[in-house]
Structure formats: structure tokens, C-alpha cells
Amino acid sequence: MNKSRGRPRGNPATKERIAEVARGLFLQRGYRATTVRAVAAAAGVDSALISYHFGSKQGLFGQSVQLQCTRSLALSEAVPGDPAGLPGRLLRAITELWDDPDAGTPSATLNRMMLRDEEVMRVFREYLERELLHRLAEFIGGPNATERATAAVAVIGGLIFTRYLNPLRPTAAMSAADVHRVFGPPLRAALRGRVDLRG
């Protein structure tokens, strides 16, 4: 019963075992209902060890599912800051986290794996709704904050789907600068809750 906090650190086998247990719990229970404490109990380790290896529940989810696209969980970490810079931070998080840094293009193989796995997609959708959408709504505040956050997540989801998961050639071919130029205005409009159709 002695679960030393420090003894197993740096042990790749322990980290892999935790990730395997966590993946099963995430897919069985969903993101919200799966706690770090529950994963630790199922894996037979101290919860501090999970923090050491994965940093947070978000990090645990991303690494346990082992798909590049789940790195977009860091989108929620781009929310805090100057409100005026929020659209840029979100778009930068998408392009920096999803684009393949070596090839300069999306890692299409890994992203298609997620598209085919309905269980992973379900958990990912749950994360977007319960974490990113709610955090955005709290951050922007004001009238219709939830509706504006929903519209923003729809813009973000559309970009992710058409650039990474099921790429459209024009969207996939955009540079990061083009993504900011094209998707920045509709994302800002969604967050503000109004669209100026006069150009």
C-alpha cells in the first residue's frame, strides 16, 4: 500500500501503464466523469505521479489518446490574456499545435485516425463543449456569452475539420498567415456577437 510519490518517476513503463488505464477510463466514462484520482486508483499509483508525468488532466487525456489532434486541448490555455488578442491567440494555438513542425503540413495520417474513431471523437467533442466553450463564455462575459462562445467554437471546429480532419484543398493549403487573415474576422465577429455584412 506504500505508494511513494517519487520512486517510480522517470519510469517509462509506469507512464505507459497510466496512459493505457486513462485511455480506457476516458473512453468508458467520458472526459468530464474521468478524474485524475480515479485514474491513479485504477493504475495503482499516487495522483502526484500523474501530475509529474502529464502535468494536468488535459495533458493526460492528450497523451493517453495519443493523437496529435488532441493537442488542441491547449486551446483553452490560449484564452486568458488581452481580450482584443483572443482571436489571434486561438488561431495561433491551432496552427502551432496541429501543423506538423517537420513537414510544415498537417499530420494527416494521425488526424484521420481520430476521424475514424467515434469513441475518441465523442470524448473530444465533450472536451470542446465542457472545457473550451465554457471557458470562453466565462472569459468574454456580457450578454449572450454562451451563444457567442458557441459561435466561436463552431468557427474553430470548422477550421479544424476542413484543414486537418477532413481537409479541403484550399483550406489545407493556407499558410498560417492566411489562416489568421481569413478566419480572424469571422472569429472576432462570433466572439462579439455581431456580423457586419457591409464589409
Side-chain angles (χ1 to χ4, degrees), residues 29-47:
R29 302 180 181 179
Y31 180 85
R32 185 182 186 185
T34 301
T35 64
V36 169
R37 185 173 296 179
V39 173
V45 300
D46 192 288
S47 58

Side-chain angles (χ1 to χ4, degrees), residues 75-150:
L75 280 171
S76 59
E77 299 173 3
V79 173
D82 177 13
L86 177 59
R89 291 196 302 275
L90 291 170
L91 292 174
R92 185 164 52 252
I94 292 170
T95 55
E96 288 181 355
L97 292 169
W98 287 60
D99 286 357
D100 187 331
D102 297 320
T105 57
S107 183
T109 302
L110 289 177
N111 293 334
R112 281 196 296 269
M113 284 173 58
M114 180 178 182
L115 190 62
R116 291 196 301 264
D117 192 331
E118 175 56 30
E119 286 299 297
V120 176
M121 286 292 288
R122 177 180 59 79
V123 176
F124 183 66
R125 288 193 299 267
E126 183 179 315
Y127 168 81
L128 289 178
E129 178 181 352
R130 299 193 181 278
E131 293 285 336
L132 180 59
L133 193 155
H134 289 179
R135 186 169 296 191
L136 272 177
E138 290 177 1
F139 180 78
I140 61 180
N144 304 316
T146 299
E147 291 182 5
R148 290 183 285 134
T150 300

Side-chain angles (χ1 to χ4, degrees), residues 4-18 45 48-54:
S4 171
R5 290 175 182 268
R7 188 176 302 166
R9 289 186 175 182
N11 186 337
T14 300
K15 183 177 181 180
E16 290 175 8
R17 180 165 53 86
I18 294 171
V45 300
L49 189 61
I50 294 180
S51 297
Y52 174 81
H53 279 303
F54 303 97

Side-chain angles (χ1 to χ4, degrees), residues 18-34:
I18 294 171
E20 183 178 351
V21 169
R23 184 180 192 277
L25 289 179
F26 279 126
L27 295 179
Q28 178 186 356
R29 302 180 181 179
Y31 180 85
R32 185 182 186 185
T34 301

